[in-house]
């Protein structure tokens, strides 16, 4: 692939909560990947999706409460690996799950996930991915049919298989995420994951016991009816990609379809919700 990306390097003061707000707003206008650092965040968008006025809709840049400076440049996609390796540190979730790159030493936890995210979202560093892993740690998915919607690097589908899920579908609308998920599925020796490029239109006549959707609020709201229609009776729906203040609007939409909120995990104002469908 020879896609060209536009790289934005943002310096932010104070860093929180501005960084998480900025990432959410950038994601809404098409930015795909983010690398946080001690000074702020670096964000990437495909040149084909970029326009000169793209930051006009980013309201936090106009806030008097934060100082945000940035510079931008074109970057060849092949440069991402070196940039990512420079910034990517191994992480652990609840002393049970390690998420690391191929060049990191295996810490010998119960679950070891090896990923190389390149331009894809889902390294485990972001709060939403971290919380979804926490939900899956405590969820029995053995022999359950699972969907990872907006799979990014494929990390959640991979973890679901490690916990015994079978079969698993992983779907992402972005071609680079699709290819990256295929690579990571192979890298982790997974046998039960099918990766597809596309959106919720692929879900016609599909049924799942567990649906994982870590995307963003607007897409979740738009596709909620489709997700719930695809969920088997007593099935579980895991949602993330939004803030604590978004819970009422998400909950109102999910409740329309007979699901009950069972568990909430919060991390730095991001949330991950676990719903269950009625029998």
């Amino acid at each position: 692939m020879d896609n060209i990306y536009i790289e934005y390097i943002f310096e932010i003061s104070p860093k929180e909560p501005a960084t998480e707000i900025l990432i959410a707003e950038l994601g809404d206008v098409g930015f795909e990947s983010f690398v946080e650092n001690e000074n702020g965040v670096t964000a990437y968008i495909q040149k084909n999706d970029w326009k000169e006025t793209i930051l006009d809709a980013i309201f936090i840049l106009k806030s008097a409460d934060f100082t945000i400076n940035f510079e931008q440049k074109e970057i060849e996609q092949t440069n991402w690996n070196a940039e990512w390796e420079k910034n990517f540190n191994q992480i652990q979730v609840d002393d049970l799950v390690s998420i690391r790159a191929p060049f990191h030493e295996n810490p010998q936890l119960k679950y070891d996930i090896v990923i190389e995210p390149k331009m894809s979202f889902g390294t485990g560093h972001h709060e939403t991915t971290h919380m979804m892993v926490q939900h899956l740690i405590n969820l029995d998915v053995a022999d359950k049919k699972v969907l990872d919607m907006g799979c990014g690097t494929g990390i959640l589908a991979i973890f679901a298989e490690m916990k015994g899920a079978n079969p698993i579908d992983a779907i992402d609308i972005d071609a680079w995420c699709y290819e990256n998920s295929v690579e990571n599925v192979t890298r982790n020796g997974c046998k039960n994951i099918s990766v597809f490029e596309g959106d919720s239109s692929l879900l016609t006549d599909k049924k799942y016991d567990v649906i994982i959707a870590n995307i963003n609020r607007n897409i979740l709201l738009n596709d909620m009816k489709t997700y719930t229609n695809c969920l088997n009776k007593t099935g579980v729906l895991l949602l993330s990609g939004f803030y604590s203040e978004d819970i009422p609007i998400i909950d109102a939409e999910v409740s329309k379809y007979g699901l009950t909120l069972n568990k909430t995990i919060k991390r730095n104002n991001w949330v991950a919700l676990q719903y269950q469908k009625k029998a």
Side-chain angles (χ1 to χ4, degrees):
M1 296 180 67
D2 56 358
N3 291 0
I4 296 175
Y5 277 73
I6 306 297
E7 176 189 73
Y8 280 79
I9 301 174
F10 293 93
E11 291 190 359
I12 305 169
S13 180
K15 189 179 172 186
E16 298 300 344
T19 299
E20 64 185 56
I21 297 171
L22 177 62
I23 288 174
E25 291 192 14
L26 292 174
D28 283 342
V29 298
F31 281 78
E32 295 180 359
S33 306
F34 307 93
V35 177
E36 294 190 47
N37 54 61
E38 61 182 17
N39 297 318
V41 66
T42 302
Y44 297 88
I45 185 171
Q46 289 194 42
K47 188 175 182 180
N48 290 340
D49 297 329
W50 176 85
K51 56 185 178 181
E52 288 281 355
T53 58
I54 196 161
L55 295 187
D56 290 355
I58 308 303
F59 296 107
I60 193 169
L61 296 178
K62 305 176 179 67
S63 172
D65 296 327
F66 308 101
T67 300
I68 304 178
N69 299 311
F70 66 88
E71 56 185 60
Q72 71 182 77
K73 64 179 179 181
E74 287 190 6
I75 180 170
E76 294 292 338
Q77 197 169 49
T78 51
N79 290 342
W80 172 255
N81 285 345
E83 185 68 21
W84 168 69
E85 289 184 10
K86 186 170 64 178
N87 289 280
F88 182 58
N89 298 313
Q90 180 178 179
I91 69 165
Q92 299 179 8
V93 180
D94 296 351
D95 295 322
L96 286 171
V97 183
S98 58
I99 302 167
R100 63 184 179 90
F103 53 83
H104 288 136
E105 184 177 348
N106 186 344
Q108 304 299 323
L109 299 184
K110 184 175 182 179
Y111 302 101
D112 180 48
I113 303 171
V114 181
I115 61 168
E116 192 166 352
K118 298 181 180 176
M119 292 301 290
S120 302
F121 178 82
T123 62
H125 287 75
H126 194 270
E127 284 87 344
T128 58
T129 312
H130 190 284
M131 290 184 294
M132 289 299 235
V133 170
Q134 288 181 302
H135 273 302
L136 286 171
I137 286 173
N138 296 303
L139 195 63
D140 179 11
V141 296
D143 299 316
K144 300 288 180 65
K145 188 172 185 180
V146 173
L147 168 66
D148 181 5
M149 193 71 199
C151 57
T153 59
I155 183 173
L156 298 175
I158 292 166
F159 184 41
E161 174 162 330
M162 289 180 174
K163 290 207 67 198
N166 181 26
I168 303 158
D169 289 341
I171 300 175
D172 204 290
I173 196 170
D174 180 71
W176 186 249
C177 291
Y178 163 77
E179 292 191 12
N180 193 199
S181 289
V182 171
E183 292 173 359
N184 287 324
V185 164
T186 301
R187 179 175 286 109
N188 286 273
C190 296
K191 306 298 184 185
N192 304 319
I193 300 174
S194 300
V195 185
F196 303 94
E197 181 182 345
D199 58 19
S200 60
S201 64
L202 296 179
L203 300 178
T204 306
D205 298 326
K206 295 274 192 174
K207 286 291 185 180
Y208 300 95
D209 302 304
V210 178
I211 295 178
I212 304 163
N214 181 17
I215 311 178
N216 67 53
R217 189 190 75 169
N218 293 338
I219 293 176
L220 292 175
L221 291 171
N222 185 68
D223 292 344
M224 196 68 70
K225 183 177 181 180
T226 301
Y227 300 154
T228 55
N229 284 344
C230 292
L231 200 60
N232 287 325
K233 291 181 179 179
T234 71
V236 172
L237 176 64
L238 299 177
L239 302 175
S240 195
F242 48 91
Y243 298 117
S244 297
E245 51 265 33
D246 295 320
I247 292 177
I249 189 171
I250 293 288
D251 191 61
E253 184 66 21
V254 180
S255 297
K256 291 179 184 177
Y257 306 106
L259 277 72
T260 303
L261 179 60
N262 284 346
K263 186 175 181 180
T264 301
I265 299 177
K266 296 183 180 181
R267 188 176 176 90
N268 296 330
N269 202 40
W270 294 92
V271 292
L273 307 180
Q274 178 180 312
Y275 285 89
Q276 186 159 22
K277 195 171 187 177
K278 295 177 182 177

